[in-house]
Amino acid sequence: MDINGNTLPVKDIIPFANVDGSGNRTTIFVQGCNLNCIYCHNPETIKLPCEETEETKYTVEQLLDVIKQYAPYIRGITVSGGEATLYSSFLVDLFKEVKKLGLTCYVDTNGIFNRQKIINLIQVTDKFLFDIKGINNLERVTRKSIEHSFDNLEYLLSLNKIEEVRTVCIEDYIDIEGTIREVSKHIKEYRDVIYKLIRVHYRGLTKDQIKAVKDSVPSKEKMMELERLAKSIGVKNIVTIL
């Protein structure tokens, strides 16, 4: 899916963020996602733009004016969501202009995209923050019929375009250990790549989401076991979020 247009539907902009890639960054949250994850902490960004959603539409020039305000204080921008790759054509034009300011351009993605359709975006993106949802039961987690995205991960790793891989650890829904083993095998040779293990949490979730995940939160001890599992396979750069 690629939604072409002269404007980008933006749900929110955080001027300064330090959790969306290296350095201080301005994060832009787009409206619309191709998944509907049970634990999504930005559920208000899931619906594709329509009369029922509220977002601000920006042209490239309008977004540049916003970014220029923060440019002296940031290392770059990160486009998150929602799913940023849905708007690849717009982002190619935006990133080309942002780079003229001396800033880096990151994409935060769920990894579910046709890479041939976003090849131009891949070329102009400095780094990707890449989710791996799991190796099984993906339909139960994402509430969409999808295949896993290891092929896309492997491709971006080969281009040195991955800064961070993330797995939300949730019991009962996915094979957590199997997922971490598989991700670790893919990234262990890429010593600069961060593997972020995120304990599923309630922050930002709707009441229905909380009801769905409340009995599936791993213990802190379990999270440390998972970290040790990744280390045992050879991953050196692990961040575990409890």
Side-chain angles (χ1 to χ4, degrees):
M1 184 186 300
D2 183 13
I3 302 173
N4 293 305
N6 295 323
T7 59
L8 184 70
V10 174
K11 184 64 179 178
D12 199 7
I13 297 174
I14 296 180
F16 306 110
N18 58 13
V19 295
D20 294 316
S22 298
N24 202 15
R25 314 188 68 80
T26 293
T27 302
I28 300 165
F29 293 88
V30 301
Q31 179 70 47
C33 187
N34 50 353
L35 303 184
N36 184 17
C37 295
I38 193 71
Y39 46 65
C40 178
H41 63 282
N42 292 323
E44 69 280 3
T45 68
I46 292 175
K47 282 187 177 180
L48 290 166
C50 64
E51 293 180 355
E52 297 177 358
T53 60
E54 294 181 0
E55 67 276 340
T56 304
K57 291 182 170 60
Y58 286 86
T59 64
V60 168
E61 291 74 19
Q62 289 169 330
L63 263 182
L64 271 178
D65 286 342
V66 174
I67 294 166
K68 284 177 180 176
Q69 297 177 50
Y70 312 126
Y73 314 106
I74 60 175
R75 190 179 299 180
I77 68 167
T78 299
V79 182
S80 182
E83 173 56 25
T85 62
L86 296 182
Y87 306 98
S88 63
S89 299
F90 182 97
L91 294 182
V92 168
D93 293 338
L94 176 67
F95 285 6
K96 286 179 178 177
E97 295 301 318
V98 170
K99 286 174 177 288
K100 293 177 183 176
L101 303 176
L103 300 174
T104 57
C105 298
Y106 283 21
V107 166
D108 182 339
T109 178
N110 59 35
I112 307 301
F113 53 77
N114 181 325
R115 62 176 178 265
Q116 296 305 320
K117 290 186 176 180
I118 69 161
I119 192 67
N120 291 333
L121 176 62
I122 292 173
Q123 290 173 350
V124 297
T125 300
D126 293 289
K127 292 288 184 179
F128 286 81
L129 313 176
F130 195 103
D131 283 356
I132 289 288
K133 302 295 183 183
I135 60 169
N136 66 327
N137 293 333
L138 295 180
E139 187 166 350
R140 191 172 176 216
V141 173
T142 67
R143 296 183 281 194
K144 299 287 183 180
S145 179
I146 62 168
E147 300 290 333
H148 63 66
S149 52
F150 284 103
D151 285 350
N152 284 339
L153 174 63
E154 193 65 41
Y155 177 72
L156 294 177
L157 284 168
S158 72
L159 298 177
N160 192 29
K161 294 276 187 176
I162 293 287
E163 178 165 302
E164 176 180 302
V165 180
R166 298 170 303 200
T167 296
V168 174
C169 299
I170 179 169
E171 295 191 302
D172 307 318
Y173 282 82
I174 62 169
D175 176 356
I176 305 177
E177 288 87 353
T179 299
I180 290 173
R181 284 193 189 94
E182 192 63 29
V183 173
S184 298
K185 290 176 186 175
H186 280 80
I187 68 173
K188 66 179 182 180
E189 303 300 332
Y190 299 88
R191 300 304 176 96
D192 293 333
V193 173
I194 300 167
Y195 191 15
K196 189 174 285 185
L197 303 178
I198 304 171
R199 186 188 187 203
V200 69
H201 57 73
Y202 301 161
R203 292 186 297 278
L205 273 57
T206 65
K207 290 181 180 179
D208 287 343
Q209 285 178 298
I210 293 172
K211 184 178 180 181
V213 308
K214 66 182 179 63
D215 295 325
S216 301
V217 181
S219 66
K220 292 182 180 179
E221 291 75 17
K222 178 70 174 184
M223 291 299 298
M224 299 318 297
E225 286 179 17
L226 297 172
E227 179 179 309
R228 287 193 291 273
L229 173 59
K231 285 181 178 177
S232 72
I233 297 171
V235 180
K236 301 295 184 184
N237 204 353
I238 304 171
V239 175
T240 301
I241 300 177
L242 300 176

